[in-house]
């Protein structure tokens, strides 16, 4: 079954293609929308009113707060030193690594095909450009882009100078 019995779904969650997702051991908040070909692993948390676009991967240890946008093909990681085998050549198992926590704060937006490395905090209202590789924490309301991602602006203002976010600063 693509949606395991241990998944906690809040009210009015919309999963557009339930047969084309892989959700297990996770919590999904109220009114969140999830596209096709999304995997959300155990011990991941998705807040309320989020949008998780198709082909995205949210791994164990990722916490996404309310009203966050995740673009198509966004990849989270949870291992700082990924390896298939141990020093002795034996295959790694669950007991051979620790999941590293990653947090995406309220109302952040992550563009398509961005990669978020383990242990990162993406600040409130921050915007991550499409294709960015986020290797360090992103401040609240920062706009970051590139490989590695660097701050290029402030998400509280439009190009014409109009304030678009009146959230507390």
């Amino acid at each position: 079954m693509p949606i395991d019995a241990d998944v906690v779904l809040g009210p009015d969650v919309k999963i557009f293609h339930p047969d084309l997702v892989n959700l297990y051991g996770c919590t999904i908040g109220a009114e969140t929308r999830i596209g096709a070909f999304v995997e959300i692993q155990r011990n991941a948390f998705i807040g309320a009113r989020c949008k998780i676009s198709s082909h995205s991967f949210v791994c164990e240890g990722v916490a996404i707060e309310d009203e966050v946008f995740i673009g198509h093909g966004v990849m989270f990681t949870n291992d700082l030193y990924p390896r298939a085998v141990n020093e002795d050549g034996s295959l790694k198992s669950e007991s051979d690594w620790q999941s590293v926590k990653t947090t995406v704060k309220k109302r952040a937006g992550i563009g398509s095909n961005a990669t978020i490395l383990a242990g990162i905090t993406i600040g409130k209202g921050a915007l991550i450009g499409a294709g960015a590789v986020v290797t360090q924490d992103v401040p609240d309301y920062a706009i970051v882009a590139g490989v590695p991602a660097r701050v290029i602006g402030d998400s509280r203002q439009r190009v014409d100078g109009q304030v678009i976010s009146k959230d507390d600063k």
Side-chain angles (χ1 to χ4, degrees):
M1 180 194 290
I3 302 173
D4 225 20
D6 62 356
V7 172
V8 177
L9 295 175
D12 301 318
V13 168
K14 176 77 174 160
I15 300 172
F16 293 98
H17 299 282
D19 292 336
L20 300 176
V21 297
N22 191 19
L23 311 179
Y24 54 97
C26 57
T27 300
I28 313 291
E31 300 179 50
T32 288
R33 298 171 290 161
I34 299 174
F37 306 109
V38 168
E39 180 169 341
I40 304 174
Q41 294 185 327
R42 74 177 161 280
N43 301 320
F45 173 83
I46 311 295
R49 295 173 307 286
C50 293
K51 181 178 182 193
I52 312 296
S53 301
S54 68
H55 299 87
S56 292
F57 176 70
V58 181
C59 54
E60 179 175 356
V62 173
I64 296 173
E65 294 183 358
D66 296 344
E67 301 171 357
V68 169
F69 173 81
I70 304 293
H72 299 280
V74 170
M75 296 292 139
F76 288 88
T77 66
N78 62 3
D79 190 345
L80 294 173
Y81 305 101
R83 296 284 186 258
V85 296
N86 294 306
E87 296 269 332
D88 65 3
S90 63
L91 285 174
K92 281 195 171 216
S93 68
E94 255 186 64
S95 64
D96 294 320
W97 69 279
Q98 262 189 333
S99 176
V100 178
K101 183 176 170 125
T102 298
T103 302
V104 181
K105 301 269 185 148
K106 184 176 182 174
R107 290 194 174 170
I110 302 177
S112 293
N113 294 314
T115 299
I116 313 302
L117 297 188
I120 300 299
T121 296
I122 295 174
K124 181 178 181 180
L127 292 175
I128 310 302
V133 176
V134 181
T135 61
Q136 58 189 347
D137 290 348
V138 176
D140 290 351
Y141 304 106
I143 300 172
V144 301
V147 178
R150 301 279 187 241
V151 175
I152 62 168
D154 185 317
S155 69
R156 289 173 289 200
Q157 295 185 5
R158 294 185 188 173
V159 174
D160 63 6
Q162 296 285 326
V163 174
I164 61 171
S165 175
K166 295 184 183 198
D167 286 346
D168 53 343
K169 293 168 174 83

